[in-house]
mmCIF file of all heavy atoms in Angstrom:
data_model
loop_
_atom_site.group_PDB
_atom_site.id
_atom_site.type_symbol
_atom_site.label_atom_id
_atom_site.label_comp_id
_atom_site.label_asym_id
_atom_site.label_seq_id
_atom_site.Cartn_x
_atom_site.Cartn_y
_atom_site.Cartn_z
ATOM 1 N N SER A 168 11.591 4.048 12.274
ATOM 2 C CA SER A 168 11.250 3.535 13.602
ATOM 3 C C SER A 168 9.735 3.476 13.776
ATOM 4 O O SER A 168 8.994 4.193 13.098
ATOM 5 C CB SER A 168 11.867 4.418 14.688
ATOM 6 O OG SER A 168 11.258 5.695 14.689
ATOM 7 N N ILE A 169 9.278 2.625 14.692
ATOM 8 C CA ILE A 169 7.844 2.531 14.990
ATOM 9 C C ILE A 169 7.305 3.905 15.397
ATOM 10 O O ILE A 169 6.235 4.329 14.960
ATOM 11 C CB ILE A 169 7.589 1.510 16.123
ATOM 12 C CG1 ILE A 169 8.160 0.122 15.745
ATOM 13 C CG2 ILE A 169 6.107 1.426 16.432
ATOM 14 C CD1 ILE A 169 7.578 -0.471 14.487
ATOM 15 N N LYS A 170 8.078 4.616 16.207
ATOM 16 C CA LYS A 170 7.677 5.946 16.675
ATOM 17 C C LYS A 170 7.495 6.910 15.503
ATOM 18 O O LYS A 170 6.498 7.638 15.423
ATOM 19 C CB LYS A 170 8.743 6.478 17.650
ATOM 20 C CG LYS A 170 8.433 7.862 18.191
ATOM 21 C CD LYS A 170 9.535 8.310 19.153
ATOM 22 C CE LYS A 170 9.278 9.720 19.676
ATOM 23 N NZ LYS A 170 10.353 10.161 20.613
ATOM 24 N N ASN A 171 8.451 6.918 14.579
ATOM 25 C CA ASN A 171 8.372 7.818 13.422
ATOM 26 C C ASN A 171 7.233 7.458 12.483
ATOM 27 O O ASN A 171 6.583 8.329 11.896
ATOM 28 C CB ASN A 171 9.687 7.805 12.653
ATOM 29 C CG ASN A 171 10.757 8.672 13.302
ATOM 30 O OD1 ASN A 171 10.570 9.168 14.416
ATOM 31 N ND2 ASN A 171 11.873 8.845 12.626
ATOM 32 N N ILE A 172 6.989 6.161 12.313
ATOM 33 C CA ILE A 172 5.916 5.704 11.422
ATOM 34 C C ILE A 172 4.559 6.163 11.951
ATOM 35 O O ILE A 172 3.721 6.671 11.205
ATOM 36 C CB ILE A 172 5.960 4.171 11.276
ATOM 37 C CG1 ILE A 172 7.200 3.757 10.492
ATOM 38 C CG2 ILE A 172 4.699 3.655 10.580
ATOM 39 C CD1 ILE A 172 7.458 2.266 10.493
ATOM 40 N N ILE A 173 4.352 5.999 13.259
ATOM 41 C CA ILE A 173 3.089 6.439 13.867
ATOM 42 C C ILE A 173 2.960 7.959 13.789
ATOM 43 O O ILE A 173 1.893 8.494 13.485
ATOM 44 C CB ILE A 173 3.000 5.948 15.325
ATOM 45 C CG1 ILE A 173 2.890 4.414 15.361
ATOM 46 C CG2 ILE A 173 1.814 6.579 16.049
ATOM 47 C CD1 ILE A 173 2.957 3.810 16.745
ATOM 48 N N ALA A 174 4.071 8.673 14.027
ATOM 49 C CA ALA A 174 4.058 10.135 13.958
ATOM 50 C C ALA A 174 3.727 10.625 12.549
ATOM 51 O O ALA A 174 3.170 11.708 12.369
ATOM 52 C CB ALA A 174 5.404 10.689 14.409
ATOM 53 N N ALA A 175 4.062 9.813 11.535
ATOM 54 C CA ALA A 175 3.795 10.186 10.143
ATOM 55 C C ALA A 175 2.338 9.958 9.760
ATOM 56 O O ALA A 175 1.927 10.302 8.658
ATOM 57 C CB ALA A 175 4.711 9.405 9.206
ATOM 58 N N GLY A 176 1.564 9.364 10.671
ATOM 59 C CA GLY A 176 0.139 9.186 10.416
ATOM 60 C C GLY A 176 -0.287 7.791 10.038
ATOM 61 O O GLY A 176 -1.460 7.561 9.744
ATOM 62 N N TYR A 177 0.634 6.840 10.048
ATOM 63 C CA TYR A 177 0.265 5.467 9.724
ATOM 64 C C TYR A 177 -0.420 4.816 10.921
ATOM 65 O O TYR A 177 0.035 4.955 12.057
ATOM 66 C CB TYR A 177 1.500 4.643 9.336
ATOM 67 C CG TYR A 177 2.085 5.027 8.007
ATOM 68 C CD1 TYR A 177 3.004 6.063 7.900
ATOM 69 C CD2 TYR A 177 1.714 4.360 6.847
ATOM 70 C CE1 TYR A 177 3.538 6.423 6.673
ATOM 71 C CE2 TYR A 177 2.247 4.710 5.619
ATOM 72 C CZ TYR A 177 3.167 5.738 5.544
ATOM 73 O OH TYR A 177 3.684 6.097 4.332
ATOM 74 N N HIS A 178 -1.507 4.097 10.664
ATOM 75 C CA HIS A 178 -2.263 3.450 11.733
ATOM 76 C C HIS A 178 -1.730 2.035 11.952
ATOM 77 O O HIS A 178 -2.248 1.056 11.422
ATOM 78 C CB HIS A 178 -3.747 3.427 11.398
ATOM 79 C CG HIS A 178 -4.362 4.787 11.393
ATOM 80 N ND1 HIS A 178 -4.769 5.428 12.547
ATOM 81 C CD2 HIS A 178 -4.613 5.647 10.391
ATOM 82 C CE1 HIS A 178 -5.254 6.612 12.246
ATOM 83 N NE2 HIS A 178 -5.172 6.769 10.942
ATOM 84 N N ILE A 179 -0.657 1.941 12.712
ATOM 85 C CA ILE A 179 -0.089 0.654 13.095
ATOM 86 C C ILE A 179 -0.052 0.601 14.613
ATOM 87 O O ILE A 179 -0.191 1.619 15.289
ATOM 88 C CB ILE A 179 1.324 0.445 12.520
ATOM 89 C CG1 ILE A 179 2.300 1.483 13.106
ATOM 90 C CG2 ILE A 179 1.313 0.497 10.994
ATOM 91 C CD1 ILE A 179 3.752 1.177 12.834
#
Side-chain angles (χ1 to χ4, degrees):
S168 67
I169 303 301
K170 180 180 178 180
N171 281 8
I172 291 170
I173 293 173
Y177 289 86
H178 292 278
I179 64 168

